[in-house]
Structures are given as structure tokens and as C-alpha cells.
Amino acid sequence: MNQPVVGVPQMLPAQVIDTSTDSREILRHAKIAARRRKLQDWFVVDVDAHHVETVSWQEIVQYIDDPVIRDQALHFHRDRIGAPPYGLNGDLGLRYQSVGGRIPHQDGLREKVEDVSVHRDVTLTRRAMDSLGVDNMVVFPTPMLFLGMHPQPEMEIWLSRAYNKWMSEKLLSADDRIKFLAVLPFHSPEECERIVTESAGKKGIIGFAIPSTRHSAVHHNKYMRLYRMIEETGMPLSFHAGYHWDDPSLKTVNRFLGMHALGFAWPNIVHCTNWVLNGIPARFPKLKVIWIESGLAWVPFVMQRLDDQFLMRPSEAPQLKRLPSEYMRDHCWYTTQPMESTNMKGLECTLDMIKADTQLLYASDWPHFDFDLPSEITDLPFLSEQAKRNILGLNAARIFNLDPKPVKQL
């Protein structure tokens, strides 16, 4: 056998990442980065991470309330070979995030999990938290974010309720570090109110989430009672963006890159515009609303555009006593991922305009292809250390009422 020659560079074996690779191995450098930046002593909250709920879909459908629909779902998965998850709509074969398999963890985490004392997703979430240097992680679904475009509005109710109950029983009960925003079936305000009543105060549930890929008018009078109920709980309401290539405004975009870039911003742009111009922040001044996974570059655009038009047509937004941008700055929160940083002067201006030291929340979006580490914040040269600490966790502690004591182990 040939022995390595001392002093001669040796060829290292090829490193391959596939869907079975241990996520701790994928995130090995993330843990090194967290240690180097001494995040052990920082309270860090990831307000937007994901799991692929369809891996556990046969479990989730067992929580469907309606016995007929539940039986159909169980039959669907029991007797159909290779069947997709029952009841879900979505983009079918138009998912290109993994870039032809070059970023395979986007397609799913199928790594081995030996611990059977807790649900598999608990173990995977713990691995992600410990690798990223996170104390609390808010877990979102992924394919379910398309439910706002479902042709059967009642399906959004059944699946959202089933998923919320499954999350509470399987994940939230197992680990205090895992947090959740209960999914609201926004097609039905009455069902949303029911979920708010049932969920407020439950272990691990720290707010409510609306999948914002939908054509609903967030300012419609039918939602006002819901907003008041959420405001009275003191818990935040979030709008989580997602793309939908079948949206008429995106059908002329022929590259996934372009559709993804615009699609994740567009629903939150529309909903935030209606939210502000119809005076919802003025009507519910204590309601905390978070705009998730649309990046940040859209916010200065909407601020400036709305201010410009409002000053010429204030009679069309009679509830507003201040500029639209002031409501967006003082009554809205935003998440970092994906934080556009190709122009650092532009990013600095953006963070200044949104008052990032109090209104910005760290989000990784793990395990999606464009996930961000906490170092995206710690390494910004124009932020004070206190602002970085606020963005990484203290702002979240304040609006989610979390204990800001670090508990992670690096």
C-alpha cells in the first residue's frame, strides 16, 4: 500500500451531500461560525425555519376532524401507490429550488434518526438549532403555504386544523425550544377565530400565521373581529409569503429565478399595502403584525411609493393620521431572510428606514436553498452590538414574550 508522502499535498476524498446526509454535517461550518462569534452568550431566535410536513402526512391526516374526509385521506394513502399527499395543492412539477439536485437538502432531509423517544422532526429541529446557534426555533410548514390558493376552501380548514393539532402533540410537547405560529385557514374568519380561542396560551404556540399566497382582501370587514381577538391575546399575527407561478401576474415570467424573486415579495407587498391604506394599524394599534420571507428590499419601495401617492390623495385613506411609511415602520415587523446584501449602502439605508434595531427579526429559512446564518447579522459593519443582539433575539423575546436567557449548547 502506498503511504502518503510527507510534505506533498494529498487529494481529499470528494464530499457529497445528498438527501440522506446528516444535517449536522451539512451545517458543520455554521456551528463553527456560531462559536467564532461567541453566540453561546447571545439569545438567538429563528422566527422562520421549516420542516417538510408531507413526510409525516399520513400521521397528520389522522387528525382531520371530519370523519368522511379523514377516511378518504387514510384510504388515499393506504391503497394508492406513489400517491401525493392527500388534499394538498401546489406547484407539482415546478419546484426547481434544488437546482437540479445540486442543493439536495432542499428536496428533503432523509437522514438517519436513531432516537425513537421523540418524533423524528423533533430530532431534526434540535440538530438545526444546535448547529445554527439558536435558542428557539419557530417551525413552519412548507407545501401547506399554498393552501390559500386551494380550489376547495374547506380543505384549508380541515388540513390547517389537523396540522395544528399534530404540531402540538408531536413537536411542541416534546421540546420547549421549539415554537409555533398556529396556521389560520384565512378563507373562513369564523374558523380562524375558533383556532385563536383554542390555541391562545397553549404550550409552544406564540402567535398565528396566515399563508399570504392568496387573493383574499385582508382589509375586508369580515376579518375585523379576528384582528381584535388576536390583539387582545397580545400575540402577533404573521403573513408568511410564498410563490405561486399560476398567479396571473407571474405567468409571463419564464424563469424560476425571476418568478421566485418576485413571487415571494408580491403577496406581502399587496397585503401590506391594503393593511396600511385601510387603516388597520390605526384601528388596532396594539396588534403586532410580522411580514415573513419576502426579504427587505420591497419595504423601502412600498414606503416611498405609498407616501408619495398618499400626499396627493389623502382623502382615499381617511383613517391614516400619519404617513403610510410611519405605520410600516412603527407597527410592522419584518424578517431578515432572504436579506438582500449585494449593495451594502442600500441595505444600510433599508435597515435605517424600517428601524431595524426594534422592528427586524432574524430568520434562517433552514433548510431551504437560500437559508441564512446568524452571522449575516453579526457581520454587518454598520450595526451596533446592541442592534445585532436585538435583531438576533431580543426583539423576538419582546414581541413573543420569550425568556431571553440563552439555553443552547455549542
Side-chain angles (χ1 to χ4, degrees):
M1 179 182 292
N2 294 329
Q3 298 295 321
V5 179
V6 176
V8 177
Q10 302 297 310
M11 182 70 72
L12 295 175
Q15 292 181 299
V16 178
I17 292 178
D18 58 27
T19 55
S20 299
T21 302
D22 194 307
S23 54
R24 292 168 295 186
E25 181 67 17
I26 299 173
L27 293 171
R28 187 200 305 177
H29 290 287
K31 177 171 271 192
I32 294 172
R35 287 172 175 160
R36 285 176 177 169
R37 289 157 180 82
K38 298 181 170 54
L39 292 187
Q40 179 68 46
D41 301 322
W42 291 43
F43 181 64
V44 181
V45 178
D46 182 354
V47 301
D48 178 27
H50 291 261
H51 70 136
V52 182
E53 69 277 17
T54 49
V55 174
S56 304
W57 203 246
Q58 293 188 49
E59 301 174 20
I60 294 171
V61 296
Q62 296 179 41
Y63 290 82
I64 293 175
D65 291 330
D66 187 287
V68 175
I69 301 302
R70 182 174 63 248
D71 185 68
Q72 287 181 4
L74 295 175
H75 163 75
F76 188 87
H77 285 287
R78 182 181 62 246
D79 297 334
R80 294 189 63 179
I81 298 175
Y86 174 85
L88 285 180
N89 61 316
D91 52 357
L92 302 176
L94 299 177
R95 293 185 180 179
Y96 300 133
Q97 288 101 322
S98 65
V99 196
R102 292 194 287 278
I103 312 175
H105 60 262
Q106 169 71 47
D107 292 329
L109 297 174
R110 302 169 194 164
E111 61 203 80
K112 291 182 179 179
V113 173
E114 293 80 14
D115 185 0
V116 295
S117 64
V118 293
H119 193 277
R120 181 176 184 274
D121 281 353
V122 173
T123 299
L124 295 184
T125 304
R126 286 171 174 169
R127 290 177 179 179
M129 289 190 290
D130 293 338
S131 296
L132 293 169
V134 166
D135 295 283
N136 292 127
M137 179 172 277
V138 180
V139 178
F140 278 88
T142 304
M144 283 182 62
L145 294 176
F146 289 103
L147 283 178
M149 306 293 284
H150 205 293
Q152 298 173 284
E154 64 275 14
M155 192 64 75
E156 183 181 26
I157 298 171
W158 294 323
L159 298 184
S160 296
R161 288 186 56 79
Y163 177 72
N164 291 341
K165 289 187 284 187
W166 175 84
M167 275 291 298
S168 288
E169 185 171 315
K170 297 296 186 180
L171 272 68
L172 303 183
S173 64
D175 196 318
D176 291 338
R177 295 173 64 193
I178 302 174
K179 305 299 180 183
F180 180 55
L181 303 179
V183 178
L184 299 180
F186 202 57
H187 281 310
S188 171
E190 295 78 15
E191 287 295 331
C192 292
E193 294 167 14
R194 181 183 173 194
I195 289 175
V196 170
T197 300
E198 293 173 348
S199 302
K202 276 194 171 182
K203 174 181 169 64
I205 297 179
I206 58 175
F208 305 96
I210 297 171
S212 57
T213 307
R214 62 178 67 244
H215 295 148
S216 304
V218 299
H219 54 283
H220 195 284
N221 283 339
K222 65 183 179 180
Y223 296 120
M224 296 305 115
R225 174 182 163 90
L226 171 65
Y227 297 151
R228 178 67 72 195
M229 289 179 66
I230 297 176
E231 182 184 46
E232 290 175 352
T233 69
M235 302 163 74
L237 172 67
S238 70
F239 286 87
H240 192 296
Y243 67 82
H244 199 270
W245 211 334
D246 200 40
D247 188 293
S249 63
L250 295 174
K251 280 189 172 181
T252 62
V253 181
N254 71 332
R255 294 287 187 265
F256 182 84
L257 183 159
M259 186 280 301
H260 192 272
L262 298 179
F264 264 94
W266 183 241
N268 277 350
I269 288 176
V270 173
H271 296 323
C272 185
T273 296
N274 284 330
W275 187 269
V276 172
L277 293 186
N278 288 277
I280 297 178
R283 296 181 64 177
F284 306 100
K286 295 182 180 179
L287 177 58
K288 297 169 285 192
V289 61
I290 311 169
W291 304 96
I292 296 179
E293 204 177 331
S294 290
L296 296 174
W298 67 277
V299 186
F301 160 72
V302 174
M303 283 181 164
Q304 294 179 84
R305 188 68 178 166
L306 294 187
D307 283 357
D308 177 79
Q309 297 295 296
F310 173 75
L311 289 172
M312 292 186 283
R313 311 172 68 90
S315 62
E316 294 182 20
Q319 297 96 337
L320 303 190
K321 308 303 179 186
R322 306 160 63 194
L323 290 172
S325 64
E326 295 181 68
Y327 289 103
M328 292 179 65
R329 183 192 65 206
D330 297 332
H331 293 270
C332 295
W333 282 260
Y334 308 93
T335 60
T336 58
Q337 197 283 334
M339 190 169 66
E340 303 89 350
S341 56
T342 53
N343 186 315
M344 294 302 285
K345 288 185 178 180
L347 178 59
E348 182 177 6
C349 179
T350 296
L351 298 193
D352 179 65
M353 290 180 68
I354 68 173
K355 208 163 65 173
D357 58 333
T358 61
Q359 308 304 116
L360 186 58
L361 309 170
Y362 166 69
S364 73
D365 197 38
W366 169 260
H368 296 165
F369 77 97
D370 51 353
F371 76 95
D372 284 339
L373 305 182
S375 56
E376 290 290 318
I377 298 300
T378 61
D379 294 356
L380 290 177
F382 49 78
L383 290 178
S384 67
E385 180 175 319
Q386 187 59 55
K388 295 174 183 178
R389 288 179 178 269
N390 290 350
I391 294 167
L392 283 176
L394 298 183
N395 289 341
R398 176 167 48 88
I399 70 168
F400 291 120
N401 194 29
L402 302 173
D403 182 357
K405 181 181 179 181
V407 294
K408 60 182 170 291
Q409 295 295 325
L410 291 178

